[in-house]
């Protein structure tokens, strides 16, 4: 009903558009026509923008797949009611269907009565992607592209992804002993399996649609002169995605990483993106934009937004766990107790080790044979997992209870020592009122260290907590502290030439 009212509001006299101010259409309209920004500036900002929406770990709030499906059917019935040419019989049937769905929803338990495991929780999040976001994201980007063409004079580039998705389900180990490295690995495999399966469905549908023969020289050469060049390419993609589905499913079930020739499967998003873009460019060059702008465009945009990892996992762990692991390492190396060192000593040692190429621990030796406690082994095995997982499976490493610069340096060093080739973004989480008030000083200290500044290459992500600070000081005082600390950190970042991204835990 809200959608129906929005559509009515959008339509002015004689069908003229009257954009709602807080829609993408209304926002762009206001920026350009109120002379706040030039169309070129707005378009460039859209192309640079990246907002990541993170599905977080709250088991009781995950909608049951059953309820998602029922609500989807109600939506479809309501849309069918809006047809102007419904006969009396069709209206009676729609009423019957609507009553049936509402009665079924009324009698269905909306809540899960048993706490889901982290894997079950992650599957619930992936159900939301499959049943809602898989359609909603390309639909929104198609609308945004239309607004860009109409008001800015340029389309939205196909591979631009102003919206991306990520997840904490299966990666948030802060105080949750059920989230182990094995669980994180299983969830990453399930996520990749879901992506491969959904993209395989798109490719098979495109095979039915793209029976076109006219193609660019590049595509003709790639397809070896096939009579139907698009179907030739799509058949090849279908075979590799089918193998990818089998590979990820086997890994998710066994918990092992089955070796396989990477020419038979897809692990890198760019490998799938390149042939899709080549087909799109070929159709444009042959004067067939109306064909290129169908499912092929939606598939390319889905790939840009979700990638082959579907929902990259963020990891989260308490700062005390990293300090405990480093204490075990320094004692084994007979350097003393890391936990007993003051902050200055910790920073000096961490910066020296970050700049050094010498490993802290002997490589290849099982951690349990080094005499470490179970919690230390779990922490260090998590970093070993980060080094082994397919690149792109993980996103950020969030440090909860981050109180000082050494907490950030510790995670940076542990990633380097584990041999992580593409380090995760190390994200300090300032959540209590005291942490927020110290945050500016913490970031100033970090950015003043050449070893750390060289490592981050001009970019830093920072998470601002909302619930803990509100519990400490009340909502109004917490809101003021959050605003003030962000302003201070932005200024510090600018002074050091660091671009900041804020992750809002709200």
């Amino acid at each position: 009903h809200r959608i129906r009212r929005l559509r009515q509001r959008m339509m002015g006299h004689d069908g003229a558009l009257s954009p709602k101010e807080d829609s993408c259409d209304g926002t762009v309209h206001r920026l350009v026509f109120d002379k706040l920004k030039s169309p070129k500036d707005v378009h460039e900002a859209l192309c640079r923008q990246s907002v990541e929406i993170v599905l977080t770990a709250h088991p009781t709030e995950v909608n049951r797949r059953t309820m998602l499906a029922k609500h989807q059917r109600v939506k479809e019935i309501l849309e069918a009611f809006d047809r102007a040419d419904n006969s009396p019989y069709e209206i009676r049937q729609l009423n019957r269907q609507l009553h049936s769905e509402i009665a079924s929803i009324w009698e269905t338990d909306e809540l899960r009565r048993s706490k889901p495991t982290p894997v079950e929780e992650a599957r619930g999040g992936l159900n939301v992607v499959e049943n809602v976001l898989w359609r909603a994201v390309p639909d929104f980007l198609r609308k945004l592209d239309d607004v860009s063409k109409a008001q800015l004079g340029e389309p939205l580039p196909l591979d631009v992804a102003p919206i991306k998705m990520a997840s904490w389900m299966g990666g948030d180990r802060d105080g949750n002993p059920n989230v182990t490295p094995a669980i994180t690995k299983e969830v990453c495999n399930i996520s990749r399996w879901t992506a491969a399966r959904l993209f395989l469905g798109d490719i098979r549908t495109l095979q039915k649609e793209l029976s076109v023969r006219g193609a660019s020289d590049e595509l003709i050469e790639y397809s070896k002169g096939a009579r139907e060049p698009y179907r030739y390419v799509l058949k090849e993609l279908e075979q590799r995605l089918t193998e990818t589905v089998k590979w990820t499913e086997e890994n998710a079930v066994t918990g092992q990483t089955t070796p396989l020739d990477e020419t038979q499967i897809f692990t890198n998003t760019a490998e799938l993106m390149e042939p899709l873009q080549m087909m799109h460019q070929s159709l444009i060059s042959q004067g067939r934009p109306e064909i290129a702008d169908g499912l092929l465009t939606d598939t390319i945009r889905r790939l840009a937004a979700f990638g082959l990892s579907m929902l990259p996992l963020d990891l989260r762990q308490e700062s005390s766990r990293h300090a405990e692991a480093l204490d075990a390492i320094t004692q084994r190396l007979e350097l003393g107790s890391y936990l007993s060192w003051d902050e200055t000593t910790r920073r000096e040692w961490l910066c020296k080790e970050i700049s050094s190429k010498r490993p802290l621990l002997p490589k290849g030796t099982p951690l349990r044979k080094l005499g470490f406690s179970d919690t230390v082994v779990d922490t260090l095995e998590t970093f070993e997992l980060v080094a082994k997982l397919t690149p792109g499976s993980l996103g950020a490493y969030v440090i909860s209870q981050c109180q000082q610069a050494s907490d950030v340096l510790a995670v940076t060093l542990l990633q380097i020592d584990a041999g992580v080739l593409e380090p995760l973004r190390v994200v300090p989480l300032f959540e209590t009122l005291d942490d927020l008030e110290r945050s500016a000083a913490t970031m100033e200290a970090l950015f003043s260290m050449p070893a750390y500044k060289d490592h981050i290459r001009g970019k830093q992500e920072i998470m601002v907590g909302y619930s803990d600070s509100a519990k400490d000081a009340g909502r109004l005082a917490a809101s003021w502290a959050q605003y003030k600390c962000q302003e201070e950190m932005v200024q510090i970042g600018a002074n050091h030439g660091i671009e900041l991204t804020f992750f809002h835990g709200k």
Side-chain angles (χ1 to χ4, degrees):
H1 182 61
R2 288 184 63 202
I3 292 169
R4 184 188 294 119
R5 290 188 62 186
L6 282 170
R7 291 173 72 88
Q8 291 170 350
R9 181 171 179 171
M10 285 172 64
M11 301 304 296
H13 298 294
D14 302 321
L17 286 175
S18 174
K20 192 169 183 284
E21 197 169 293
D22 59 352
S23 66
C24 55
D25 197 9
T27 300
V28 172
H29 185 276
R30 183 169 56 83
L31 285 169
V32 173
F33 287 90
D34 287 358
K35 310 296 184 188
L36 299 175
K37 294 288 179 183
S38 71
K40 182 181 178 183
D41 288 342
V42 176
H43 187 266
E44 287 179 356
L46 269 180
C47 292
R48 288 195 310 269
Q49 174 179 302
S50 181
V51 175
E52 190 173 73
I53 299 172
V54 181
L55 306 182
T56 189
H58 284 293
T60 56
E61 295 182 17
V62 176
N63 285 318
R64 295 181 62 196
R65 185 171 190 157
T66 301
M67 297 304 289
L68 288 172
K70 290 180 184 298
H71 291 152
Q72 180 67 23
R73 286 196 292 270
V74 169
K75 168 186 172 288
E76 289 165 359
I77 294 167
L78 290 174
E79 285 176 341
F81 263 119
D82 287 341
R83 283 179 47 185
D85 60 346
N86 281 323
S87 68
Y89 167 75
E90 287 170 329
I91 290 172
R92 287 195 298 274
Q93 291 304 304
L94 289 171
N95 266 309
R96 182 191 62 76
Q97 293 170 22
L98 186 60
H99 278 84
S100 174
E101 287 297 341
I102 291 172
S104 178
I105 289 169
W106 184 258
E107 295 295 337
T108 301
D109 195 345
E110 291 187 14
L111 303 177
R112 296 175 184 270
R113 295 301 171 180
S114 59
K115 186 177 180 180
T117 66
V119 173
E120 290 170 340
E121 189 182 3
R123 287 185 186 276
L126 288 165
N127 287 339
V128 173
V129 174
E130 183 172 350
N131 290 288
V132 182
L133 298 174
W134 192 249
R135 290 188 302 273
V137 168
D139 283 353
F140 172 74
L141 293 177
R142 187 174 287 278
K143 171 73 183 297
L144 193 59
D145 177 59
D146 183 72
V147 170
S148 184
K149 288 174 185 172
Q151 299 204 34
L152 305 177
E154 292 184 69
L156 196 67
L158 275 182
D159 56 353
V160 162
I163 294 177
K164 293 197 171 189
M165 302 290 162
S167 175
W168 276 18
M169 293 178 277
D172 184 8
R173 54 216 339 107
D174 181 10
N176 187 350
N178 298 317
V179 180
T180 63
I183 291 294
T184 298
K185 183 177 181 180
E186 183 180 356
V187 170
C188 286
N189 282 321
I190 293 170
S191 190
R192 282 187 171 272
W193 171 76
T194 303
R197 186 170 52 81
L198 290 175
F199 281 116
L200 179 59
D202 277 6
I203 295 301
R204 285 175 172 164
T205 305
L206 282 168
Q207 268 189 284
K208 296 173 186 175
E209 292 183 2
L210 294 182
S211 55
V212 184
R213 294 182 59 187
S216 64
D217 292 342
E218 182 187 17
L219 186 61
I220 290 170
E221 182 181 350
Y222 185 92
S223 63
K224 301 174 184 175
R227 186 169 178 271
E228 294 181 323
Y230 300 92
R231 282 183 168 172
Y232 177 95
V233 176
L234 290 163
K235 185 65 178 175
E236 183 183 90
L237 300 183
E238 181 192 19
Q239 290 170 349
R240 287 185 69 181
L241 281 169
T242 300
E243 291 301 317
T244 306
V245 170
K246 293 177 184 175
W247 181 73
T248 51
E249 186 172 24
E250 184 177 340
N251 289 339
V253 170
T254 64
Q256 304 299 315
T257 301
T258 310
L260 191 67
D261 183 356
E262 290 207 6
T263 61
Q264 297 178 32
I265 62 171
F266 283 115
T267 58
N268 189 318
T269 299
E271 286 185 296
L272 181 55
M273 181 67 86
E274 286 169 10
L276 293 174
Q277 288 184 320
M278 179 175 61
M279 288 189 289
H280 189 278
Q281 290 160 5
S282 175
L283 287 167
I284 297 296
S285 72
Q286 298 299 301
R288 290 288 178 263
E290 67 282 357
I291 300 175
D293 195 36
L295 176 60
L296 181 57
T297 288
D298 287 346
T299 303
I300 291 170
R301 287 191 171 135
R302 280 175 176 139
L303 192 57
F306 295 107
L308 286 174
S309 55
M310 185 58 77
L311 289 178
L313 276 189
D314 287 350
L315 305 183
R316 183 171 72 139
Q317 184 58 279
E318 276 189 22
S319 58
S320 60
R321 289 287 295 270
H322 311 128
E324 180 189 10
L326 286 172
D327 185 70
I329 290 171
T330 56
Q331 292 201 50
R332 187 182 187 281
L333 297 174
E334 299 181 352
L335 298 173
S337 170
Y338 179 87
L339 289 175
S340 68
W341 296 348
D342 60 25
E343 176 65 7
T344 302
T345 307
R346 288 185 183 187
R347 290 180 189 179
E348 288 174 355
W349 181 77
L350 289 164
C351 284
K352 183 183 74 173
E353 294 300 328
I354 287 169
S355 300
S356 169
K357 295 182 180 179
R358 180 186 67 251
L360 295 173
L361 295 171
K363 298 307 172 189
T365 305
L367 292 169
R368 293 193 183 277
K369 290 187 176 181
L370 299 177
F372 295 152
S373 68
D374 288 345
T375 54
V376 168
V377 169
D378 180 78
T379 300
L380 295 177
E381 283 183 345
T382 299
F383 286 97
E384 287 188 348
L385 176 69
V386 174
K388 293 174 184 175
L389 281 175
T390 305
S393 299
L394 303 173
Y397 195 111
V398 180
I399 309 165
S400 58
Q401 301 299 325
C402 185
Q403 299 176 337
Q404 49 206 5
S406 62
D407 294 334
V408 179
L409 295 171
V411 173
T412 304
L413 175 59
L414 288 170
Q415 283 199 83
I416 293 171
D417 195 61
V420 180
L421 297 177
E422 296 183 17
L424 307 186
R425 310 184 308 271
V426 180
V427 182
L429 166 53
F430 301 115
E431 45 195 331
T432 67
L433 188 61
D434 286 346
D435 292 347
L436 286 168
E437 290 175 343
R438 284 196 301 265
S439 61
T442 299
M443 299 318 297
E444 176 67 50
L446 279 169
F447 296 157
S448 299
M449 299 176 199
Y452 183 76
K453 194 171 179 181
D454 290 345
H455 180 76
I456 61 175
R457 298 178 183 177
K459 291 183 182 292
Q460 176 69 54
E461 187 171 321
I462 299 166
M463 185 170 181
V464 178
Y466 285 70
S467 59
D468 283 7
S469 54
K471 290 171 192 171
D472 285 349
R475 291 189 180 276
L476 181 60
S479 294
W480 174 243
Q482 290 149 9
Y483 170 78
K484 192 168 65 170
C485 83
Q486 287 177 79
E487 289 288 302
E488 290 170 353
M489 286 190 283
V490 166
Q491 186 58 55
I492 289 166
N495 295 342
H496 288 273
I498 307 293
E499 180 187 341
L500 299 188
T501 296
F502 285 107
F503 181 174
H504 299 278
K506 61 188 301 188

